[in-house]
Amino acid sequence: MNNIGFIGLGIMGRPMAGHLLDAGHQLTTVKRGSLDATLADKGMKEADSLKAVAEASDVIITIVPDTPDVEEVLFGEGGVIEGLKPGTLVIDMSSIAPMTTQQFAERVHQAGGEYVDAPVSGGEGGAINAALTIMVGATEEGFQRALPILEVMGKTVTHIGGPGAGQTCKVANQIVVALTIEAVAEGLLFASRAGADVAKVRESLLGGLAQSKILDVHGERMIKRTFEPGFRIRLHQKDLNLALEGARSLNLALPGTANAQQLFQACAAQGGSDWDHAGILRALEALSDHEVGQQD
């Protein structure tokens, strides 16, 4: 059992924290309005500041939206670093910039802690079902310390390499996910415009080489037009920005990634920043003046 400070009780963080509580860990979070009733019933505690959370914990877990948010939580005024005890394990499960992650790891190490980057894939369903894929960047010691905790929340936990390697893997994951969602949307749009039953098309494709989790889950979202997140377009835009910024620094061409980012931006221009990322379909529909499932 660990005393865990958990920062970030959003769509993903709430169920992840719940699994840790169910496993017998003691959790403390920073007070931000009303604590989720389910987590409170399971015994989650609140502290008045991030510093106080760190003082009460031997493990800190963060899962917040972006690189500046992680920096503020860890190193801002009254932040975690001010209450960090020697030997504290800091696990960041956000999706942020790999190079900056390396800098964060060094700052935590200098303060006497151990830093692990452990971004996740699997979406809200994976978080709820404790079936996340977790990509870990850490020293071997840090990974072994973090592993029993990560296994409570994830189904697949892989040590990719040293600090920052987990974030690099997550950026690659988000490239593949974005392009696959776009491919599914284009396939269904084509089938619909050609007059086929898109539900039957999807069913058939799931039995062949085109089968994927994205065709299964997001293809169904597209057909049923259920675009509530899920994973928000604005967050996937943030991840693709990391990919494109990294590509520039590495002198790489990622044309598919750039195109997917533009389609997400088209959704944002329609007020869809908070749609599920399956909503990329709507940008393609607007370009073609055709809605999936409609009869022309």
Side-chain angles (χ1 to χ4, degrees):
M1 186 271 289
N2 290 283
N3 292 315
I4 299 175
F6 198 103
I7 310 300
L9 298 174
I11 289 175
M12 300 289 287
R14 281 194 302 273
M16 292 164 68
H19 295 312
L20 291 169
L21 289 163
D22 290 340
H25 297 288
Q26 300 295 315
L27 266 63
T28 303
T29 192
V30 67
K31 188 173 180 61
R32 294 278 191 272
S34 298
L35 180 62
D36 180 86
T38 301
L39 297 179
D41 289 344
K42 291 182 178 184
M44 188 169 222
K45 301 175 182 178
E46 293 180 292
D48 290 332
S49 68
L50 292 163
K51 176 183 177 181
V53 171
E55 290 171 341
S57 308
D58 47 58
V59 177
I60 301 289
I61 295 176
T62 56
I63 180 162
V64 294
D66 205 348
T67 307
D69 301 300
V70 176
E71 184 169 24
E72 180 64 22
V73 165
L74 295 180
F75 308 112
E77 184 177 353
V80 165
I81 203 75
E82 295 183 13
L84 198 72
K85 297 179 294 189
T88 298
L89 179 65
V90 177
I91 305 173
D92 178 41
M93 305 188 76
S94 317
S95 296
I96 66 171
M99 293 299 293
T100 309
T101 291
Q102 294 176 1
Q103 298 168 12
F104 291 171
E106 180 59 28
R107 292 172 71 177
V108 169
H109 176 73
Q110 290 176 356
E114 182 79 39
Y115 189 95
V116 172
D117 53 287
V120 303
S121 180
E124 183 182 11
I128 290 170
N129 296 312
L132 293 167
T133 293
I134 304 177
M135 309 155 230
V136 184
T139 64
E140 182 61 31
E141 178 185 354
F143 176 69
Q144 293 302 328
R145 286 184 62 191
L147 184 59
I149 297 169
L150 298 177
E151 286 179 330
V152 173
M153 298 175 284
K155 184 178 181 180
T156 303
V157 183
T158 306
H159 187 194
I160 306 298
Q167 297 294 353
T168 297
C169 184
K170 179 58 187 289
V171 171
N173 178 84
Q174 295 303 81
I175 293 171
V176 173
V177 169
L179 270 62
T180 307
I181 292 175
E182 180 186 351
V184 168
E186 289 192 14
L188 294 180
L189 184 64
F190 171 81
S192 177
R193 187 61 173 264
D197 183 325
V198 289
K200 290 182 178 178
V201 169
R202 171 179 164 274
E203 180 182 352
S204 179
L205 294 179
L206 284 170
L209 188 59
Q211 189 278 333
S212 71
K213 183 70 173 290
I214 287 171
L215 177 61
D216 183 10
V217 175
H218 292 80
E220 184 177 37
R221 281 180 178 268
M222 292 173 190
I223 292 168
K224 292 183 175 179
R225 311 198 68 76
T226 53
F227 297 119
E228 299 80 13
F231 187 74
R232 300 178 194 276
I233 280 175
R234 60 180 170 84
L235 295 178
H236 210 146
Q237 284 185 284
K238 177 262 297 182
D239 292 339
L240 294 191
N241 280 337
L242 295 177
L244 294 169
E245 290 165 5
R248 282 191 291 272
S249 68
L250 295 169
N251 198 27
L252 289 175
L254 299 179
T257 303
N259 187 59
Q261 182 71 305
Q262 286 299 303
L263 289 169
F264 281 140
Q265 183 57 39
C267 292
Q270 298 175 47
S273 293
D274 285 325
W275 296 343
D276 184 83
H277 49 178
I280 199 171
L281 174 69
R282 288 182 167 181
L284 293 166
E285 290 174 333
L287 288 171
S288 298
D289 192 25
H290 177 84
E291 185 175 292
V292 165
Q294 79 181 51
Q295 298 296 316
D296 290 330

